[in-house]
Amino acid sequence: MSILDRLKEFREEEKRLTWEGTFREYLEIIKEKPEVAQTAHSRIYNMIKDAGVEEIDGKRSYKFFSNEIYGLEEAIERLVEEYFHSAAKRLDVRKRILLLMGPVSGGKSTLVSMLKRGLEKYSRSEDGAIYAIKGCPMHEDPLHLIPHHLREDFYNEYGIKVEGNLSPLNMMRLEQEYGGVIEEVIVQRILLSEDRRVGIGTFSPSDPKSQDIADLTGSIDFSTIAEYGSESDPRAYRFDGELNKANRGLMEFQEMLKCDEKFLWHLLSLTQEGNFKAGRFALISADEMIVAHTNEAEYKSFISNKKNEALHSRIIVMPIPYNLRVSEEEKIYKKMIKDSDISDVHIAPHALRVAAIFTILTRLKESKKQGVDVLKKLKLYDGQTVEGFNTQDVEEMKKEYQDEGMTGIDPRYVINRISSAIIRKELSSINALDVLRSIKEGLDQHASISKEDRERYINFISVARKEYDEIAKKEVQKAFVYSYEESAKTLMDNYLDNVEAFCNKNKLRDPLTGDEMNPDEKLMRSIEEQIGISENAKKAFREEILIRISAYARKGKRFDYNSHERLREAIQKKLFADLKDVVKITTSTKTPDENQLKKVNEVIARLIDDHGYNSVSANELLRYVGSLLNR
């Protein structure tokens, strides 16, 4: 479909979503769909819930956030359940300002932006439809038209609670335009939009000396006073402050804790009582969620100020730490690169993973558990298997520190260093070593890093480099072993014959002499040791293999090279250990013979076709692994 067709389709959709009718007709709508009359907090909660919820290992994952925010599932679950869900049920939590607290570039702004964009989209759906009094600059809830003395009867008939008072402007319009006949007041469907200032607002404080409270609550239109004769005439007032325009939806309060006190008290009145003071009018009702964000240092400074004590209990603080999982950090980098101008540069496999390993190491705290260093903790947090530890240990580690993930290197720094390496060297391809080198160089220019932290970080770069050495060797190992696939299968069949004989306490027959012989313990151990199977654990491992073979046989399947992941890894490592000399020769000889050259080209082709390298990064990887093996 062309862009012109899409524009036409968009216009037709806008027309379809337009609805206008009397208050009487609006009541018919809410009789059929009571959710139309839900509060702003309830609408936000239902928007998140309707996008889908997954239960993974007893924890909830919300699909609404899954494509933009990575590795913060626990923080988001706490935010949704403890704040949005409770607020949707009209519990006291909705009378609090939501304050997201976390380090820079940790996802706070992204989270708020997602709520805004989500509300815009949700208000266009049937479940998220919102209606307001037509012509009201605050998009007021039509149910405010129902007089207070009839609200209990309305609840009994419709099952909907009505909160809030009719605004001064609509009170005047009801009398003058409709002659007090509430049923005839015109109601229309509204679509939330930050750009059009409908139901979504953003307040950003500036210089306290020059900023006017009118930015928040609206102001008198002096040009109309001569016409209307009084400042207390609601027609002489511009209801165009952020609190007015964000009614029915959400208002983001940027840098809230840096704001002047007079602005904060208006927020407290709105969240606590559901109304705020503007001009020479009675209190004006508004239904909106206030969300602010700050960092830990600013928050500590705020709560240490005695003048702010009354505000403390009116704020719900939700910590939003950095992600602490390597695989999720990789996704953050991929997303940031995709959105940047460096998306066309080839980034070799594992380059982002190695950067993520370094970054996560800077964010973790030493565990109090015996035998757990920071690298083991990193692997456990990422869901990897570490011998001697289980999921219960991981949960206990997460409870050791309340502020883990609140410090460390932010994702933006890593992307900046990757960009710097590409631009400076004008590279068309970048690998893990280029990334680590650039990160290290950038530490000297990072003004906020202390000398002590810089030394720690340089040590973490060394740890990440060692991890990459192992990854690189495995990568080449897989590509080389593929070229020797028949050798790998033969080695595995030989191992399985010996395991079967060992477990069944049988003898093997020599294929040449026909003599009976004991299972080859040396061969079995040489393979098992490759994946850290101890002498004490060998029997259990062999029995596990035999059980797997039997299970396959019962299902009529053949146990092959790919049937057991750990065994396959052990075979690959063993074969690669035996092939090390071949690798050394083929990667270090300047003029390899024809056979060696063929082998190198096979490996490079395998790295390109199956592992995501290009010819430059594949050749660089081979040379690097060759140098590692020659050390």
Side-chain angles (χ1 to χ4, degrees):
M1 192 182 281
S2 73
I3 190 66
L4 294 173
D5 292 331
R6 296 299 294 270
L7 286 170
K8 185 182 175 186
E9 189 184 73
F10 173 73
R11 278 197 306 276
E12 288 169 357
E13 176 68 5
E14 291 283 294
K15 202 179 288 182
R16 187 187 68 78
L17 292 171
T18 303
W19 183 89
E20 197 173 289
T22 63
F23 182 70
R24 183 186 282 107
E25 290 169 319
Y26 173 67
L27 290 182
E28 291 302 314
I29 291 173
I30 62 170
K31 188 171 271 187
E32 272 184 53
K33 296 183 73 177
E35 65 270 20
V36 164
Q38 65 191 324
T39 63
H41 288 84
S42 177
R43 190 174 292 108
I44 292 170
Y45 173 67
N46 286 325
M47 169 187 77
I48 294 167
K49 190 164 62 75
D50 290 354
V53 186
E54 282 182 317
E55 194 101 13
I56 303 167
D57 299 329
K59 292 177 181 176
R60 289 181 175 179
S61 173
Y62 294 89
K63 290 183 181 178
F64 179 84
F65 300 101
S66 59
N67 292 330
E68 293 284 332
I69 296 177
Y70 304 104
L72 295 179
E73 290 82 4
E74 289 176 19
I76 286 171
E77 184 183 8
R78 190 167 62 247
L79 172 66
V80 174
E81 292 304 316
E82 291 181 19
Y83 184 80
F84 291 127
H85 193 184
S86 300
K89 298 285 185 189
R90 296 178 188 259
L91 294 173
D92 220 40
V93 166
R94 75 190 174 111
K95 296 180 179 180
R96 307 285 182 271
I97 297 166
L98 174 63
L99 180 64
L100 306 177
M101 181 188 69
V104 293
S105 194
K108 303 184 297 297
S109 298
T110 304
L111 201 150
V112 176
S113 180
M114 286 188 76
L115 291 174
K116 288 179 179 179
R117 301 295 79 80
L119 275 174
E120 288 177 340
K121 189 177 176 184
Y122 194 59
S123 70
R124 303 175 74 88
S125 71
E126 286 308 305
D127 291 335
I130 309 173
Y131 296 82
I133 297 171
K134 188 181 180 183
C136 174
M138 283 183 61
H139 339 291
E140 188 165 7
D141 186 346
L143 295 184
H144 285 183
L145 289 160
I146 296 170
H148 282 271
H149 68 279
L150 293 177
R151 288 185 179 181
E152 192 174 332
D153 295 335
F154 179 78
Y155 177 73
N156 293 334
E157 188 176 344
Y158 287 84
I160 296 168
K161 285 181 182 175
V162 182
E163 295 177 348
N165 303 314
L166 194 63
S167 68
L169 180 62
N170 285 324
M171 204 176 287
M172 178 179 277
R173 289 179 64 214
L174 176 61
E175 294 303 321
Q176 293 186 359
E177 292 178 32
Y178 299 100
V181 182
I182 290 169
E183 305 94 298
E184 297 304 317
V185 173
I186 301 298
V187 174
Q188 65 177 10
R189 182 171 178 180
I190 60 168
L191 304 176
L192 301 191
S193 167
E194 185 171 21
D195 293 339
R196 293 175 184 167
R197 300 189 76 209
V198 178
I200 297 173
T202 303
F203 183 79
S204 185
S206 55
D207 182 2
K209 292 174 185 173
S210 61
Q211 187 149 32
D212 191 349
I213 197 73
D215 296 344
L216 205 57
T217 61
S219 61
I220 295 165
D221 186 351
F222 289 101
S223 65
T224 61
I225 289 177
E227 184 184 347
Y228 299 120
S230 169
E231 289 183 18
S232 59
D233 189 311
R235 291 170 298 178
Y237 197 84
R238 289 198 298 255
F239 293 89
D240 60 357
E242 291 304 317
L243 290 181
N244 308 111
K245 292 299 182 182
N247 186 33
R248 313 298 301 284
L250 174 150
M251 193 192 84
E252 176 187 8
F253 205 120
Q254 296 177 346
E255 304 293 345
M256 188 185 90
L257 301 186
K258 290 178 181 173
C259 202
D260 191 87
E261 281 178 48
K262 63 183 179 183
F263 292 88
L264 296 178
W265 289 114
H266 275 286
L267 290 191
L268 290 180
S269 170
L270 176 60
T271 50
Q272 190 68 31
E273 309 300 335
N275 52 47
F276 62 92
K277 189 81 174 80
R280 297 178 180 180
F281 306 114
L283 292 167
I284 295 173
S285 296
D287 170 32
E288 59 197 83
M289 188 188 96
I290 308 288
V291 58
H293 38 92
T294 188
N295 60 48
E296 197 173 11
E298 276 181 9
Y299 179 68
K300 283 180 177 174
S301 171
F302 173 77
I303 58 172
S304 65
N305 188 340
K306 293 283 183 187
K307 282 164 61 178
N308 297 325
E309 279 183 358
L311 293 162
H312 299 173
S313 61
R314 314 278 179 87
I315 294 172
I316 294 280
V317 181
M318 281 288 166
I320 307 291
Y322 282 133
N323 156 58
L324 296 176
R325 283 158 50 198
V326 171
S327 52
E328 296 298 302
E329 190 74 8
E330 268 191 278
K331 290 177 187 175
I332 295 171
Y333 299 156
K334 283 175 183 172
K335 176 180 169 283
M336 291 173 86
I337 287 167
K338 187 182 172 187
D339 297 341
S340 74
D341 292 335
I342 60 170
S343 54
D344 58 331
V345 174
H346 173 77
I347 297 176
H350 310 296
L352 298 181
R353 181 167 188 81
V354 171
I357 289 170
F358 161 74
T359 310
I360 302 298
L361 285 170
T362 68
R363 298 172 185 171
L364 293 175
K365 297 195 172 190
E366 291 278 354
S367 176
K368 296 166 188 172
K369 271 189 175 294
Q370 197 171 358
V372 180
D373 58 22
V374 188
L375 187 61
K376 275 184 187 172
K377 189 177 187 180
L378 173 143
K379 290 177 179 177
L380 286 164
Y381 273 19
D382 202 38
Q384 296 176 45
T385 304
V386 176
E387 198 172 345
F389 298 95
N390 55 35
T391 51
Q392 183 62 39
D393 294 313
V394 177
E395 291 306 312
E396 286 172 12
M397 280 184 229
K398 286 178 180 176
K399 290 173 186 171
E400 287 178 345
Y401 302 99
Q402 293 297 309
D403 61 344
E404 189 168 49
M406 285 292 185
T407 57
I409 293 289
D410 64 281
R412 210 171 281 142
Y413 170 79
V414 174
I415 296 301
N416 289 346
R417 296 315 305 163
I418 291 172
S419 305
S420 176
I422 291 166
I423 292 161
R424 192 172 68 249
K425 295 186 177 180
E426 295 181 352
L427 298 172
S428 61
S429 173
I430 192 167
N431 61 37
L433 297 177
D434 295 322
V435 172
L436 286 178
R437 200 177 298 116
S438 186
I439 287 172
K440 188 176 182 181
E441 288 167 3
L443 292 177
D444 294 326
Q445 302 156 23
H446 206 302
S448 63
I449 296 177
S450 66
K451 188 181 177 184
E452 187 184 65
D453 281 342
R454 189 174 286 111
E455 287 172 7
R456 276 178 57 242
Y457 294 172
I458 287 169
N459 180 49
F460 290 147
I461 287 172
S462 301
V463 174
R465 168 79 179 265
K466 283 175 188 169
E467 284 297 296
Y468 175 64
D469 290 352
E470 291 307 309
I471 291 168
K473 281 191 271 190
K474 275 184 188 175
E475 202 83 321
V476 173
Q477 168 188 308
K478 282 183 205 167
F480 257 90
V481 169
Y482 191 90
S483 301
Y484 290 90
E485 197 168 10
E486 286 307 313
S487 305
K489 286 176 181 173
T490 304
L491 183 60
M492 192 191 76
D493 288 340
N494 198 357
Y495 174 77
L496 293 177
D497 288 342
N498 280 277
V499 163
E500 204 168 342
F502 171 85
C503 292
N504 294 329
K505 296 185 171 59
N506 292 337
K507 299 264 186 183
L508 286 166
R509 197 170 291 280
D510 190 305
L512 293 175
T513 63
D515 295 338
E516 284 192 337
M517 57 184 185
N518 290 322
D520 189 341
E521 185 64 24
K522 189 177 176 183
L523 170 78
M524 289 187 286
R525 290 303 294 140
S526 70
I527 291 168
E528 290 156 0
E529 283 168 354
Q530 300 295 330
I531 51 169
I533 303 293
S534 65
E535 187 69 29
N536 292 334
K538 70 180 185 184
K539 187 172 182 288
F541 181 74
R542 292 170 190 177
E543 286 170 349
E544 181 197 322
I545 296 291
L546 203 62
I547 290 165
R548 182 75 65 92
I549 293 169
S550 303
Y552 268 64
R554 280 199 305 275
K555 292 175 185 174
K557 294 181 183 177
R558 186 177 178 277
F559 186 92
D560 64 18
Y561 182 62
N562 294 309
S563 300
H564 193 286
E565 198 174 321
R566 291 193 75 202
L567 178 57
R568 185 180 66 214
E569 185 189 346
I571 296 288
Q572 285 178 349
K573 283 186 172 179
K574 168 63 179 159
L575 193 59
F576 189 63
D578 296 342
L579 290 171
K580 267 186 184 176
D581 289 338
V582 178
V583 180
K584 285 180 189 177
I585 293 164
T586 53
T587 55
S588 62
T589 307
K590 287 183 180 177
T591 53
D593 63 34
E594 197 176 324
N595 192 41
Q596 289 169 349
L597 197 60
K598 186 186 173 192
K599 197 62 68 182
V600 168
N601 288 336
E602 276 180 24
V603 171
I604 287 171
R606 181 68 42 211
L607 289 169
I608 294 169
D609 295 343
D610 292 356
H611 298 278
Y613 291 82
N614 67 3
S615 58
V616 175
S617 58
N619 275 290
E620 284 174 347
L621 179 74
L622 266 184
R623 282 198 298 275
Y624 181 63
V625 171
S627 71
L628 287 177
L629 296 174
N630 281 315
R631 281 177 193 170

